Amino acid sequence: MLLPLLLAVLWGGSGALYPKFQLQVPKSVSVQEGLCVVVSCSLITYPQRGWTHATPAHGYWFRNPANTDTDPPVATNKPGQKVQKDTQGRFQLLGNLSQSCSLLIRDVQMEDAASYFFRLERGSYVQYNFKENMFYLEVTVLTLTPRPQDHGTELTCRVDFSRKGVSTEKTVRLSVAYAPRDLVVSTSRANVSALEPWGNSPHLAVQKGQFLRLLCAADSLPLATLSWALEDRVLSWSHPSGSRTLELVLPGVKAEDAGRYTCQAENRLGAQSRSLDLSVQYAPENLRVVVSQANRTVLENFGNDTSLVVLEGQSLRLLCVTHSNPPARLSWARGGQTLSPSQPSDPGVLELPQIQTEHEGEFTCQAQNPLGSQYLSLSLSVVYPPQLLEPSCSWEDGGLHCSCSSRAQPAPSLRWRLGEGLLEGTLSNASFKVTSSSAGPWANSSLSLSEGLSSGLSLSCEAQNVHGAQSARVLLLPGEKKLISNGVFVAIGLMTLLFLCLIPIAVKTLRKKRTQAETLRSRLSRRSTILDYINVIPKPGLLAQKRKANPSSPSRPPPPDAHPPESRHKQKEPYYVSYSCPGPKASTQDAEYENNQEELHYAVLNFPGHRPWETQGSKDAHSDYAEIQLH
C-alpha cells in the first residue's frame, strides 16, 4: 500500500521519474513590452490511468516559485478558478489540453518577466507539475521605434495557430509625433535663382546692396512654429498650422543687416535651431575728417571739398574716419605726395603742431579696401593778423606824401589817423588825398597832405583784420621845413628800424670802431634809404619846452667831440623819429594785444658837422653821428 503512494508523490513532482509524463515548451521566450506573445506548449504524453475520455482535463500555468495548493495560477482553463490579479485577462491558456498547453500573453509588462511552469490535473491519478519543463519570459523595451516616415502606416499584431488552422490579428494606424528634426537653411543671392542648401560653415558673406533670401525648413509632428531672429530680435515667424518652411527676404542688404541670424523650429515635443553669421562687405563710405584745432576738445566733422581756416601758430589734428568692411587702409597726401603718418599705428591721424603759412594747400585722405576707395580733400587756409611794413614819407611838391603797406590773411584794411581824424578808402579834397588798393593778401594806401600840417600833429598808419591790428606812427614835430628848399629829406627805413631797436649795440659799436662809422657815412646820400618816417626840423626852443614837459624822456648830453654852439656852422636841432619796434605777431589769442597801446620811441640824432649837401665839395669833411639818443 505504501509503495503506490510513494510512487504517486514522486510522479506528481517530476516527470523524469516516470517517462510517460512528457511536455514540450521552449526554454525562453523574448517579447517587447506592450506587445503580445504566444508561448507554444505541447503535451506529448501522460499516463492513461485514473481517468476516462469523459474525465475533463484541467491545466494551470504558475509563476515560479509557487505553491500549487495555495497560490493562484496566472492562467487556467478550470471554471471558477481564481487567477493572479495582474495577469487576469492578459494571460490565456489556449487550445485543447489533449494536445496543446500554449499560453497567450497580451500587453506584456516588464513585471511579467519570470519563469513559468505548467500543471496538469485529470482524474485521480494525473496530477503533475512539469517543473523540469519551465520557460523563462524575457521582456524587452519597445524595439519597434516608429520613425517620422512611419506616420500614417498600419501596424498589425497577428497570432497564428498553424496546427489548428486558427489565427487572430489586430491592426492599428500609427500616429508618430516627434520634435523638430532635419532643420535646413537654404540661401539665394538672386531673386530668380534656385535656393542652395547652406553648408556647415557658420559664416555667410555678401556685398552691400545684394539681394539675399534665407529659407528655413524643418520636419516635425505636430508642425513646428518657425521663426527668424537677428541677434535677440525676432524678425518673422510662421503659424503653427501653416507651412513647414519660413522665408526671410533682404532685397538690398544694408550694413546694419550684419549679425547672427537664427532659425528656430519648436513644437510641444522639443525645439531645434540653426544660426549663421552674416557679414556685409562694402567699399569705404561716409568718409569724413574730424578736426581738432588749438587743442580744443570740441571736434568738427568735415566733408569733401571743405575749406579749413586755421590761425597761424595754432596746432591742428586731422583724423580721417570711414566705414567699410573689410576695414579700409587710410593714408594722407599733400600735393600728390603721401605723408608719413603722425602715428604709425593709426595712419588716419595727421598732426600739425604749429601751423605756418607754408602749410597752405590741399590735404587729401584716402580710404581703400579690396572693394573700392574713397577720397576726401580739405583746402587748408592759414590766416594771420596784419604784418605792417613801415610807412614811407617824403616832401614833394610843397606837401607831404606818405605810403603804407600791410600783409595779412584775410587781407587787411588800411586807414590813416591824422590827429583825431580817420582817413580811409579812396577820397580827396583840397587839403588831402587818400588812395587805397589791394591785391591778394596785400593792402596799400597813400596819403598826400598839402594843408593842415600844424605843430605837434600826429600821423599814423593802421592795419587791421578780424585776427588783429597793427599800427605805425610818425610824429611831426614843430619846426621850419628847411629840407624842402634843398629837396632833401632824411629817411629812416627798415634797416633804421632794426638800428633803433638795437641802439645800445649800435652806440657801443660806433664808439669802438670809427672806421665802420666812416664806411656808413660814405654810403649816406640824399636818398640812401626808402623813407619810412618823416622828420620836420623843429622851431628853436620848442624842443626844449617839449623836453621839460616830458620829464620821463630825458635827453643825453652831447658827446665831447660835438661842435660848440659858437661854431661857424650852427648846430642843428635833433630830428625825432617815432616807431614801435615790432614784437611777436598778433593773434586772436593774445588778449593783451588790442588793449595795450604800442610804446612810442624817440630817437635823437645830433649832426655836429656839416650836412652832406653842404660839404659836397670837400672830400675830407666829416659828418659823423656824434650822439644818438633813444627816448
Side-chain angles (χ1 to χ4, degrees), residues 163-178:
R163 293 183 179 180
K164 296 293 184 177
V166 178
S167 65
T168 182
E169 64 181 28
K170 184 176 182 180
T171 301
V172 296
R173 184 176 296 275
L174 296 179
S175 176
V176 182
Y178 50 94

Side-chain angles (χ1 to χ4, degrees), residues 368-383:
Q368 185 174 14
N369 71 1
L371 299 178
S373 61
Q374 193 174 22
Y375 298 84
L376 187 148
S377 295
L378 290 179
S379 179
L380 182 61
S381 177
V382 181
V383 295

Side-chain angles (χ1 to χ4, degrees), residues 97-340:
L97 284 182
S98 61
Q99 293 181 347
S100 176
C101 54
S102 296
L103 177 65
L104 171 63
I105 305 176
R106 299 184 181 92
D107 190 18
V108 176
Q109 306 296 320
M110 294 298 297
E111 296 80 7
D112 295 338
S115 295
Y116 295 87
F117 64 90
F118 182 70
R119 175 178 174 81
L120 178 63
E121 294 180 355
R122 190 171 189 181
S124 58
Y125 180 78
V126 178
Q127 296 181 5
Y128 188 78
N129 296 329
F130 291 87
K131 288 189 175 182
E132 70 276 9
N133 299 112
M134 289 191 296
F135 77 90
Y136 179 78
L137 179 65
E138 181 184 8
V139 181
T140 62
V141 297
L142 190 53
T143 56
L144 175 63
T145 304
R147 299 165 298 173
Q149 56 267 35
D150 295 331
H151 176 70
T153 59
E154 293 182 348
L155 180 65
T156 301
C157 177
R158 177 181 293 108
V159 177
D160 187 8
F161 302 97
S162 57
R163 293 183 179 180
K164 296 293 184 177
V166 178
S167 65
T168 182
E169 64 181 28
K170 184 176 182 180
T171 301
V172 296
R173 184 176 296 275
L174 296 179
S175 176
V176 182
Y178 50 94
R181 60 190 296 271
D182 298 334
L183 184 63
V184 176
V185 173
S186 303
T187 63
S188 175
R189 304 190 189 188
N191 194 17
V192 295
S193 64
L195 289 166
E196 299 178 0
W198 177 56
N200 295 325
S201 174
H203 302 286
L204 178 63
V206 297
Q207 292 190 14
K208 183 179 178 180
Q210 192 174 21
F211 177 90
L212 180 64
R213 180 169 56 176
L214 304 176
L215 185 68
C216 178
D219 185 20
S220 65
L221 192 70
L223 286 178
T225 300
L226 302 175
S227 63
W228 273 110
L230 173 58
E231 303 299 343
D232 56 353
R233 178 167 56 96
V234 177
L235 302 178
S236 63
W237 59 88
S238 66
H239 193 273
S241 61
S243 173
R244 294 178 179 268
T245 63
L246 180 62
E247 185 179 66
L248 179 64
V249 177
L250 303 175
V253 178
K254 301 182 291 295
E256 54 267 29
D257 292 333
R260 170 160 290 189
Y261 286 80
T262 301
C263 175
Q264 177 170 293
E266 183 178 8
N267 66 6
R268 59 182 175 82
L269 298 177
Q272 189 178 24
S273 63
R274 193 173 185 187
S275 299
L276 64 88
D277 293 322
L278 180 64
S279 173
V280 181
Q281 298 183 345
Y282 52 98
E285 60 182 27
N286 298 330
L287 185 62
R288 65 190 187 279
V289 172
V290 180
V291 179
S292 176
Q293 297 186 47
N295 298 324
R296 288 184 299 176
T297 57
V298 178
L299 303 180
E300 301 174 85
N301 291 330
F302 289 88
N304 205 7
D305 298 327
T306 298
S307 179
L308 179 60
V309 179
V310 185
L311 187 63
E312 185 180 24
Q314 284 188 344
S315 63
L316 181 64
R317 187 176 188 267
L318 304 177
L319 173 62
C320 198
V321 180
T322 187
H323 298 288
S324 65
N325 188 27
R329 181 173 57 88
L330 301 173
S331 63
W332 279 99
R334 181 187 179 192
Q337 183 178 3
T338 302
L339 301 176
S340 299

